[in-house]
Amino acid sequence: METGLNTMIDLLKNVASPECPGPTAGAFHAQFFISLMNDVFAVLTDTSHKPGFKQQCAILQSMLNLVETGMITVNLFDPATQPPGSTNGQFLRLHLANLLGSSFSNLSRQQVEMFVTKIFELHNNPGGFKELIRDFLVQLKSFGGDNSDLYQEERALEQQRQNAALPQALQAVDAAKEAEEDAAMMD
């Protein structure tokens, strides 16, 4: 699963890059953006996909960032179905509020709208964005039980900080790294 999520992150970066011609990027976004967003939210809120949390957040954040920074220049909606002057940001906020509101009847409309507003506000703050998503998932109660996979990255960073604080003689040894360093010295 991790490979597929990393591929999606790379795809979004490539389509948004200057090397991807505007008409090609526009056609991709017009055809696939909303369905990809829906699918990522479906996977993110499915309790069997907790291990991909970091990449799922990165995908969502990247997608919201494209909308908020104006990188998507085509309409993500049918202009005939939206009020005149609607923007992609306005449409996507409404779309996500409706999607999440209809998917999770245990949340009030106010809770959903507050969440949607916040994810757009945090579109360029990876730490805050991930924390908000994690809190939302816990709030859904669909993530009852063991949520430790949602905190995997933080635990790894804490372990690194603790190891770095130890005197060198007490630090854990990375056997593979030691072998590489020894091999490099032999050359």
Side-chain angles (χ1 to χ4, degrees):
M1 172 170 55
E2 197 168 299
T3 302
L5 293 171
N6 288 331
T7 301
M8 176 58 75
I9 291 168
D10 290 342
L11 174 66
L12 291 171
K13 286 179 185 175
N14 289 339
V15 171
S17 75
E19 290 83 31
C20 186
T24 303
F28 174 83
H29 290 129
Q31 183 70 35
F32 301 110
F33 190 90
I34 297 299
S35 62
L36 285 173
M37 178 74 69
N38 292 349
D39 290 344
V40 172
F41 266 106
V43 170
L44 182 69
T45 57
D46 181 345
T47 58
S48 65
H49 291 96
K50 290 180 192 178
F53 177 72
K54 178 182 173 186
Q55 291 90 348
Q56 293 161 6
C57 285
I59 291 168
L60 284 176
Q61 187 174 15
S62 175
M63 294 178 82
L64 293 177
N65 195 49
L66 289 172
V67 170
E68 285 299 280
T69 59
M71 294 289 294
I72 297 178
T73 57
V74 298
N75 286 334
L76 297 175
F77 54 90
D78 178 2
T81 63
Q82 299 299 312
S86 292
T87 66
N88 283 334
Q90 292 167 334
F91 168 76
L92 196 55
R93 282 173 176 81
L94 182 61
H95 174 77
L96 289 177
N98 289 335
L99 174 72
L100 296 171
S102 65
S103 298
F104 302 103
S105 59
N106 60 320
L107 298 178
S108 71
R109 184 69 182 184
Q110 182 182 10
Q111 288 173 300
V112 170
E113 288 175 357
M114 187 182 324
F115 169 73
V116 170
T117 298
K118 282 290 202 187
I119 62 172
F120 276 89
E121 288 174 3
L122 296 172
H123 72 92
N124 59 359
N125 177 348
F129 187 87
K130 188 169 55 174
E131 187 175 328
L132 177 67
I133 296 286
R134 183 186 306 123
D135 291 347
F136 179 71
L137 293 175
V138 171
Q139 183 181 17
L140 289 178
K141 296 184 182 167
S142 65
F143 275 73
D146 181 17
N147 290 311
S148 62
D149 285 340
L150 298 177
Y151 298 92
Q152 182 177 4
E153 185 180 6
E154 286 78 5
R155 282 194 317 274
L157 288 173
E158 182 59 29
Q159 183 66 42
Q160 287 175 350
R161 279 194 287 272
Q162 288 175 356
N163 284 343
L166 291 173
Q168 184 68 30
L170 297 177
Q171 289 184 6
V173 175
D174 182 347
K177 183 178 174 185
E178 292 288 325
E180 286 177 20
E181 289 175 1
D182 290 346
M185 292 177 140
M186 299 293 228
D187 292 337

